[in-house]
Amino acid sequence: MPAARPERVEPTGPKYQARRDQILDTAVAAFRTKGYAGTSTQDIGRALHLTKGSLYYYFRDKEDILFWCHERALDHLLAVAREVRRRHRDPATALGELIEQHVGIMVHEFRGTALALEVTALTGPRRERVVSRRDRYERILRDILEQGVNSGAFRRVDPKLASFAILGAINWMARWYRADGGESAREIGRAFAEMFVQSLRRRPAPKLKIRGARPSGRPRRQAQGD
């Protein structure tokens, strides 16, 4: 099928945004198959039967596509994080839901690709903005962990290190996640949430056993002659 002629869609209308989203979805799928460095704008345009001119009507270049892939995912992550903080006062509940939602975004927005780790491919203001917004999300996650530690819901761990561990585990999905791997994003998200929340919960102190102590309520046997 021949490539379509350059498109001229109103840049503020719903059709324009729908086409941009379609291009981003196609780009993420291509990045998963060939990696960001190995994917060209021609690859993306060819999958959609678009000329390079049509593609550049929506995005400036391949880096611009990568940037907006991050922006779209970060929009969802930050919106989810704010909503979780608003709805849940209990830090354990908030942390569990945030981890589940993050895993879902990792799968559905990034398709489980290393795209989540491709920040170094961005340059200048694009990279600064993505890093700044990622830091904002990490701050929300760390605040939940700090709240849990201060309230006694979580063990006394370093919230910064704990947040790094959680984010590292989720981002590393890029190296092993497969859509046909047998477990859904929801199942993986729940498993991650349970593992991290349970590992952080504060355990009650064990009861000390005093050698020689008699159970309460049991009368002492009297010796003969008493």
Side-chain angles (χ1 to χ4, degrees):
M1 180 176 178
R5 294 180 180 179
E7 298 183 344
R8 288 296 178 265
V9 181
E10 180 61 38
T12 57
K15 288 185 178 180
Y16 179 83
Q17 186 57 52
R19 178 59 105 175
R20 279 175 60 92
D21 287 338
Q22 185 183 35
I23 293 170
L24 293 177
D25 288 339
T26 302
V28 171
F31 294 153
R32 173 155 189 78
T33 302
K34 303 176 68 174
Y36 173 73
T39 302
S40 67
T41 53
Q42 288 91 335
D43 294 328
I44 299 170
R46 192 179 303 117
L48 293 168
H49 307 293
L50 290 175
T51 64
K52 184 182 291 188
S54 293
L55 196 64
Y56 288 163
Y57 179 65
Y58 297 94
F59 298 97
R60 297 175 186 175
D61 48 34
K62 188 174 75 166
E63 185 181 327
D64 196 36
I65 294 174
L66 175 65
F67 169 73
W68 284 105
C69 286
H70 278 282
E71 281 286 277
R72 188 172 65 168
L74 284 165
D75 283 344
H76 289 178
L77 271 178
L78 288 169
V80 163
R82 289 190 291 266
E83 179 64 13
V84 166
R85 290 299 305 275
R86 185 187 70 80
R87 289 194 295 110
H88 298 299
R89 299 179 66 88
D90 174 50
T93 303
L95 179 62
E97 182 170 337
L98 187 57
I99 291 173
E100 285 191 47
Q101 296 274 12
H102 191 159
V103 169
I105 291 171
M106 179 69 180
V107 172
H108 298 301
E109 295 290 334
F110 285 137
R111 306 283 181 90
T113 75
L115 177 63
L117 309 175
E118 293 277 10
V119 180
T120 55
L122 297 171
T123 59
R126 290 169 174 164
R127 181 173 179 176
E128 291 173 4
R129 177 173 170 80
V130 168
V131 170
S132 175
R133 299 189 78 201
R134 280 176 41 156
D135 289 347
R136 197 182 313 166
Y137 174 77
E138 183 189 327
R139 180 70 259 177
I140 295 175
L141 173 60
R142 198 181 302 176
D143 285 346
I144 293 173
L145 291 165
E146 287 178 353
Q147 179 188 355
V149 171
N150 293 336
S151 68
F154 295 156
R155 296 183 292 110
R156 298 206 64 80
V157 298
D158 183 337
K160 182 177 181 179
L161 290 179
S163 67
F164 285 166
I166 293 169
L167 293 174
I170 296 174
N171 286 335
W172 199 249
M173 288 178 63
R175 304 301 185 191
W176 58 263
Y177 175 77
R178 294 293 180 272
D180 58 353
E183 292 183 319
S184 68
R186 177 173 294 185
E187 290 171 332
I188 296 172
R190 286 176 177 173
F192 272 33
E194 182 178 359
M195 283 189 291
F196 278 110
V197 172
Q198 291 302 324
S199 69
L200 287 167
R201 283 190 186 278
R202 187 175 182 178
R203 301 290 191 273
K207 295 182 179 180
L208 296 178
K209 293 183 179 181
I210 302 176
R211 184 175 297 177
R214 294 183 176 84
S216 60
R218 293 180 60 182
R220 179 182 175 184
R221 293 181 62 185
Q222 293 185 339
Q224 293 182 356
D226 283 357

